[in-house]
Amino acid sequence: RPAPARSAPGAAVPGMTMTALPAVPRLVNPNAELLETTSTFIFDCDGVIWRGDAVIPGVPEVLKTLRGMGKRMFFVTNNSTKSRAGYLKKFTGLGLDVEAEEIFSSSFAAAAYLKQIKFKKTGKKVYIIGEVGIQEELDLIGVPWIGGENDKDKAPDMGTGGRVEHDHDVGAVVVGFDRYFNYFKIQNAQLCINENPNCLFIATNLDAVTHLTSAQEWAGNGSMVGAIKGCTGQEPILVGKPSPLMIDYIVETYHVERESICMVGDRLDTDVMFGKSNGLSTVLTLSGVTTEAKLQSEENHIRPDFFVDTINDFVKQ
């Protein structure tokens, strides 16, 4: 007797009505819908505050207005190429009045995680795939590291009998966005993870694309993490968005109630997911990588509370 036919996953079942997802509402009354219930804003940076090296028009005035209302704000970015100090210089250079302690980069998150697990006490080193941001943050907590920018021009000997000699004292590999990613770094990382006992594999973020310049989207750190996943078979420890590490740090350090925090970002799978999974209200801005069509599509199940064209809509009359 033949087995009954099964519907493909997600397929409509005869006699069953599929319920359409409700449309995400546009923010039209910022005072009543957002500002009255929000004491703290957490802003993503790329695609929300700036695109590449250009500030989004109107943003400096919006931030000044929100501060004038007594709103607290933090700036959380998955970009690990700069440290907190490096990002402060970028904010200042763009005419944005921001304090260093308001900035949370994924390079800082990687260092905070290593500090949390008391990695320094192991006496081990970190192998860095990434740039100066991770290096500077590890220096600040006294964790020794190798790799990073020092390996940007290295190439492995792949002739007969060629090999890469890796450091057996590496206890963690941190993978962040790296404009000088190369095969030497891949081979070194996989040797550390595959051959050094209990070596940690840490990813600053899994972003598919990034705003390296304002002209176009560029392959993000997800491509670099994917290369290391592919040759180790290991899943990384994620410290950037949507991991809860940074929001937990903000809530515990600054004694902020989650119910009064709004996460504002341009990505559904990192920013909005970060907010929703951590009990925050969420606003998606269309000034970055996400289009309104993608936001409202039936395929998208990550739904923010509201969407705006840019954060200028927060203070419109």
Side-chain angles (χ1 to χ4, degrees), residues 40 43-44 48 64 99 105-106 108 129 131 169 176 179 199 201 214 216 219 223 225 269 281 292 307 316:
T40 303
F43 292 105
D44 177 45
V48 178
K64 184 177 180 179
E99 301 294 327
S105 63
S106 60
F108 170 79
I129 291 178
E131 301 188 16
D169 288 330
R179 284 168 284 194
C199 182
F201 173 22
S214 58
Q216 60 183 186
S223 61
V225 174
D269 59 348
S281 63
E292 185 174 356
F307 77 94
K316 65 184 180 182

Short mmCIF file of all heavy atoms in Angstrom, two decimals, residues 40 43-44 48 64 99 105-106 108 129 131 169 176 179 199 201 214 216 219 223 225 269 281 292 307 316:
data_model
loop_
_atom_site.label_atom_id
_atom_site.label_comp_id
_atom_site.label_asym_id
_atom_site.label_seq_id
_atom_site.Cartn_x
_atom_site.Cartn_y
_atom_site.Cartn_z
N THR A 40 15.95 55.32 25.88
CA THR A 40 17.28 55.00 25.37
C THR A 40 17.20 54.47 23.95
O THR A 40 16.40 53.57 23.67
CB THR A 40 17.96 53.95 26.27
OG1 THR A 40 18.00 54.43 27.62
CG2 THR A 40 19.37 53.64 25.79
N PHE A 43 21.57 52.77 18.36
CA PHE A 43 21.65 52.94 16.91
C PHE A 43 22.74 52.06 16.31
O PHE A 43 23.88 52.04 16.81
CB PHE A 43 21.98 54.39 16.55
CG PHE A 43 20.90 55.38 16.86
CD1 PHE A 43 21.01 56.23 17.96
CD2 PHE A 43 19.78 55.48 16.06
CE1 PHE A 43 20.01 57.16 18.25
CE2 PHE A 43 18.78 56.41 16.33
CZ PHE A 43 18.89 57.24 17.43
N ASP A 44 22.40 51.35 15.25
CA ASP A 44 23.43 50.79 14.39
C ASP A 44 24.11 51.98 13.71
O ASP A 44 23.55 53.08 13.68
CB ASP A 44 22.80 49.86 13.35
CG ASP A 44 23.83 49.30 12.38
OD1 ASP A 44 24.89 48.87 12.84
OD2 ASP A 44 23.55 49.33 11.17
N VAL A 48 22.70 53.69 9.02
CA VAL A 48 21.77 54.42 9.88
C VAL A 48 22.31 55.82 10.19
O VAL A 48 21.61 56.82 10.02
CB VAL A 48 21.51 53.66 11.21
CG1 VAL A 48 20.59 54.45 12.13
CG2 VAL A 48 20.94 52.27 10.92
N LYS A 64 21.21 65.61 18.08
CA LYS A 64 21.19 66.77 18.98
C LYS A 64 19.80 66.99 19.55
O LYS A 64 19.64 67.27 20.75
CB LYS A 64 21.66 68.03 18.22
CG LYS A 64 21.77 69.27 19.09
CD LYS A 64 22.32 70.45 18.29
CE LYS A 64 22.42 71.70 19.16
NZ LYS A 64 22.97 72.85 18.39
N GLU A 99 30.24 60.45 22.92
CA GLU A 99 31.24 60.07 23.92
C GLU A 99 31.75 58.66 23.65
O GLU A 99 31.01 57.81 23.14
CB GLU A 99 30.63 60.14 25.32
CG GLU A 99 30.10 61.52 25.72
CD GLU A 99 31.20 62.54 25.84
OE1 GLU A 99 32.33 62.17 26.22
OE2 GLU A 99 30.95 63.73 25.54
N SER A 105 31.61 48.63 19.53
CA SER A 105 31.96 47.94 18.28
C SER A 105 32.11 46.46 18.56
O SER A 105 32.29 46.04 19.71
CB SER A 105 33.28 48.50 17.73
OG SER A 105 34.34 48.23 18.65
N SER A 106 32.06 45.64 17.51
CA SER A 106 32.21 44.19 17.72
C SER A 106 33.64 43.83 18.10
O SER A 106 33.89 42.76 18.67
CB SER A 106 31.76 43.41 16.49
OG SER A 106 32.52 43.75 15.35
N PHE A 108 35.28 45.60 20.36
CA PHE A 108 35.14 45.73 21.81
C PHE A 108 34.42 44.51 22.38
O PHE A 108 34.78 43.99 23.45
CB PHE A 108 34.39 47.01 22.16
CG PHE A 108 33.99 47.11 23.61
CD1 PHE A 108 34.91 47.47 24.57
CD2 PHE A 108 32.69 46.81 24.00
CE1 PHE A 108 34.54 47.54 25.91
CE2 PHE A 108 32.32 46.88 25.34
CZ PHE A 108 33.24 47.25 26.30
N ILE A 129 42.26 37.23 12.73
CA ILE A 129 41.96 37.56 11.34
C ILE A 129 41.12 38.84 11.45
O ILE A 129 40.02 38.83 12.00
CB ILE A 129 41.18 36.46 10.63
CG1 ILE A 129 42.06 35.23 10.43
CG2 ILE A 129 40.64 36.95 9.28
CD1 ILE A 129 41.35 34.05 9.77
N GLU A 131 41.51 43.50 11.61
CA GLU A 131 42.31 44.72 11.47
C GLU A 131 42.62 45.35 12.82
O GLU A 131 42.43 44.72 13.87
CB GLU A 131 41.61 45.67 10.50
CG GLU A 131 41.41 45.04 9.13
CD GLU A 131 40.91 45.99 8.07
OE1 GLU A 131 40.97 47.22 8.27
OE2 GLU A 131 40.42 45.50 7.02
N ASP A 169 50.50 27.79 21.03
CA ASP A 169 50.02 28.50 22.22
C ASP A 169 48.79 29.36 21.93
O ASP A 169 48.34 30.10 22.81
CB ASP A 169 51.13 29.38 22.80
CG ASP A 169 52.21 28.57 23.48
OD1 ASP A 169 51.89 27.48 24.01
OD2 ASP A 169 53.39 28.99 23.48
N GLY A 176 37.36 38.80 12.35
CA GLY A 176 36.64 40.03 12.09
C GLY A 176 36.85 40.45 10.64
O GLY A 176 37.65 39.84 9.92
N ARG A 179 40.16 43.42 5.24
CA ARG A 179 40.34 43.79 3.83
C ARG A 179 41.57 43.13 3.21
O ARG A 179 41.77 43.20 2.00
CB ARG A 179 40.44 45.30 3.70
CG ARG A 179 39.10 46.01 3.83
CD ARG A 179 39.24 47.50 3.98
NE ARG A 179 39.67 47.86 5.33
CZ ARG A 179 39.62 49.08 5.83
NH1 ARG A 179 39.16 50.08 5.09
NH2 ARG A 179 40.03 49.32 7.07
N CYS A 199 40.85 25.10 21.34
CA CYS A 199 41.00 26.45 20.77
C CYS A 199 39.62 27.00 20.41
O CYS A 199 38.83 26.34 19.73
CB CYS A 199 41.88 26.40 19.53
SG CYS A 199 42.18 28.02 18.78
N PHE A 201 36.84 29.46 18.59
CA PHE A 201 36.61 30.10 17.30
C PHE A 201 35.57 31.17 17.54
O PHE A 201 34.41 30.88 17.83
CB PHE A 201 36.13 29.04 16.30
CG PHE A 201 35.67 29.54 14.95
CD1 PHE A 201 36.06 30.78 14.45
CD2 PHE A 201 34.83 28.75 14.17
CE1 PHE A 201 35.62 31.23 13.21
CE2 PHE A 201 34.39 29.18 12.93
CZ PHE A 201 34.78 30.42 12.45
N SER A 214 30.43 54.34 0.19
CA SER A 214 29.04 54.73 -0.07
C SER A 214 28.59 54.40 -1.49
O SER A 214 27.43 54.57 -1.83
CB SER A 214 28.87 56.23 0.18
OG SER A 214 29.76 56.99 -0.64
N GLN A 216 28.74 51.30 -3.12
CA GLN A 216 28.13 49.99 -3.34
C GLN A 216 28.28 49.14 -2.08
O GLN A 216 28.98 49.50 -1.15
CB GLN A 216 28.82 49.26 -4.52
CG GLN A 216 30.29 49.02 -4.32
CD GLN A 216 30.97 48.36 -5.50
OE1 GLN A 216 32.13 48.01 -5.45
NE2 GLN A 216 30.26 48.21 -6.61
N ALA A 219 31.31 42.60 0.18
CA ALA A 219 31.22 41.34 0.94
C ALA A 219 31.63 41.58 2.39
O ALA A 219 32.64 42.22 2.66
CB ALA A 219 32.13 40.29 0.30
N SER A 223 31.54 36.31 4.95
CA SER A 223 32.31 35.56 3.95
C SER A 223 33.61 35.04 4.55
O SER A 223 34.06 33.94 4.20
CB SER A 223 32.60 36.44 2.73
OG SER A 223 33.36 37.57 3.09
N VAL A 225 34.18 34.50 7.92
CA VAL A 225 33.82 33.48 8.91
C VAL A 225 33.44 32.18 8.20
O VAL A 225 33.80 31.08 8.63
CB VAL A 225 32.66 33.97 9.79
CG1 VAL A 225 32.18 32.85 10.73
CG2 VAL A 225 33.09 35.19 10.61
N ASP A 269 18.22 40.76 9.88
CA ASP A 269 18.74 39.56 10.53
C ASP A 269 19.76 39.85 11.63
O ASP A 269 20.12 38.94 12.38
CB ASP A 269 19.35 38.61 9.49
CG ASP A 269 20.47 39.25 8.69
OD1 ASP A 269 20.64 40.48 8.76
OD2 ASP A 269 21.18 38.52 7.97
N SER A 281 12.13 47.37 21.84
CA SER A 281 11.32 47.78 20.69
C SER A 281 12.27 47.99 19.52
O SER A 281 13.47 48.18 19.70
CB SER A 281 10.54 49.06 21.00
OG SER A 281 11.42 50.14 21.25
N GLU A 292 11.98 48.43 1.29
CA GLU A 292 10.63 48.27 1.81
C GLU A 292 9.99 47.00 1.26
O GLU A 292 9.25 46.30 1.97
CB GLU A 292 9.77 49.49 1.47
CG GLU A 292 8.38 49.43 2.10
CD GLU A 292 7.58 50.70 1.88
OE1 GLU A 292 8.12 51.68 1.30
OE2 GLU A 292 6.39 50.73 2.29
N PHE A 307 8.85 51.13 10.70
CA PHE A 307 9.95 51.44 9.79
C PHE A 307 9.90 52.92 9.43
O PHE A 307 8.84 53.57 9.52
CB PHE A 307 9.92 50.56 8.54
CG PHE A 307 8.90 50.96 7.50
CD1 PHE A 307 9.25 51.79 6.43
CD2 PHE A 307 7.59 50.48 7.56
CE1 PHE A 307 8.31 52.14 5.46
CE2 PHE A 307 6.65 50.82 6.61
CZ PHE A 307 7.01 51.66 5.56
N LYS A 316 10.31 64.60 13.00
CA LYS A 316 9.54 65.41 12.07
C LYS A 316 8.30 65.95 12.77
O LYS A 316 7.76 65.35 13.70
CB LYS A 316 9.14 64.58 10.85
CG LYS A 316 8.17 63.44 11.15
CD LYS A 316 7.89 62.61 9.91
CE LYS A 316 6.92 61.48 10.21
NZ LYS A 316 6.68 60.64 9.03
#
